[in-house]
Amino acid sequence: MHPFLYGTLITTLYIAVAVGIMFIARKLINIPDELFRKILHFILLGAYIPLCFAFEAWWMATVYALSLIVILFPALFLAQRIPMFSAFVNERKKGEFVSSMVYAVGMMAFSIVVCWGLFGDKYLVLASIYAWGIGDALAALIGKKFGKHKIKWKIADGKKSVEGSLAMFVCALVSVFTVLLIKGGISIPMCLCIAFLAALVCTFTELCAKNGLDTILCPVSAMVVIIPMVILL
């Protein structure tokens, strides 16, 4: 089988099965709206693994990611006109689900081009994305449930809490550290140092980002920290 077709098959199969299971589960059991949103978020994050390891070359993975935008955007744009769809995916405002998906998949393509295409390291893709993605999801869940201390800084969006931001920082630190450790070639103290700085920058960026732009700004801020330090090492 051609390498591009193989990567396409594996990644599409993962997305179809994971999303299908969640939508069936949504119908059968009572999954809280916010938890359902974040599970879909984690499914998208999981797609980075077959993208980076099922495709033979970075440009193949990029073409696949861009093709998702071409296919998904018109389909979701039409679907959002159905009231039941917006309620099912728990949109906070009209068009939010479509825009967030386009941001996320666009960032998917961009991170692959920069980290894997320009710098030749697919692990940098995972480190940069997971610095934001995992922490952002858990920060939202923890912040909504336990976030009693709101951060009132002028530059903050006013909705974030100390508890949520702390969850974001810890998750980002653990995610980046784990990816760099698996990547190898960097000492444990340096992995920890890079992860700490990336987590700090990502948490601050997420705290200030508004209108869903954290999907773009946080991974980019992580790249700005992680890539130069890894290259220097």
Side-chain angles (χ1 to χ4, degrees):
M1 183 180 292
H2 190 278
F4 180 75
L5 293 178
Y6 176 79
T8 298
L9 176 63
I10 296 297
T11 309
T12 303
L13 188 61
Y14 160 78
I15 294 173
V17 171
V19 172
I21 290 172
M22 279 313 305
F23 273 77
I24 293 171
R26 175 80 157 167
K27 283 288 188 181
L28 297 178
I29 59 178
N30 182 28
I31 301 175
D33 289 341
E34 191 62 29
L35 178 59
F36 180 73
R37 288 170 59 93
K38 296 312 173 186
I39 291 174
L40 291 178
H41 179 95
F42 275 112
I43 289 173
L44 187 61
L45 291 176
Y48 276 88
I49 294 175
L51 265 176
C52 288
F53 295 100
F55 285 97
E56 191 174 272
W58 68 270
W59 64 266
M60 295 180 183
T62 304
V63 168
Y64 180 86
L66 293 176
S67 69
L68 283 181
I69 297 178
V70 174
I71 296 169
L72 282 177
F73 181 74
L76 292 174
F77 183 77
L78 293 174
Q80 72 177 354
R81 297 174 179 270
I82 305 171
M84 187 172 64
F85 175 80
S86 293
F88 189 79
V89 297
N90 187 32
E91 283 191 306
R92 296 191 181 102
K93 59 182 179 180
K94 189 171 178 61
E96 181 218 12
F97 187 77
V98 176
S99 61
S100 63
M101 284 298 297
V102 172
Y103 286 161
V105 179
M107 195 64 231
M108 185 181 281
F110 178 78
S111 61
I112 291 171
V113 170
V114 173
C115 298
W116 188 3
L118 292 179
F119 295 99
D121 195 334
K122 60 184 70 177
Y123 284 98
L124 294 180
V125 178
L126 300 179
S128 300
I129 293 298
Y130 290 168
W132 156 75
I134 297 175
D136 178 71
L138 293 181
L141 294 173
I142 291 173
K144 285 184 180 297
K145 190 171 181 63
F146 304 106
K148 297 180 179 179
H149 303 89
K150 298 297 181 182
I151 298 173
K152 301 296 185 180
W153 299 350
K154 288 184 178 180
I155 56 174
D157 72 351
K159 300 176 183 178
K160 305 299 193 306
S161 66
V162 173
E163 293 82 359
S165 292
L166 183 60
M168 169 77 183
F169 174 79
V170 172
C171 288
L173 190 153
V174 172
S175 299
V176 176
F177 177 77
T178 302
V179 172
L180 293 180
L181 205 60
I182 294 172
K183 167 184 163 56
I186 304 174
S187 67
I188 291 178
M190 286 309 302
C191 284
L192 189 59
C193 178
I194 296 171
F196 179 85
L197 291 175
L200 198 63
V201 171
C202 258
T203 302
F204 181 77
T205 304
E206 197 268 345
L207 183 64
C208 302
K210 300 177 182 179
N211 301 320
L213 289 178
D214 58 320
T215 305
I216 297 172
L217 298 177
C218 287
V220 170
S221 67
M223 289 180 203
V224 170
V225 175
I226 296 170
I227 292 175
M229 294 191 74
V230 169
I231 289 174
L232 286 173
L233 293 170

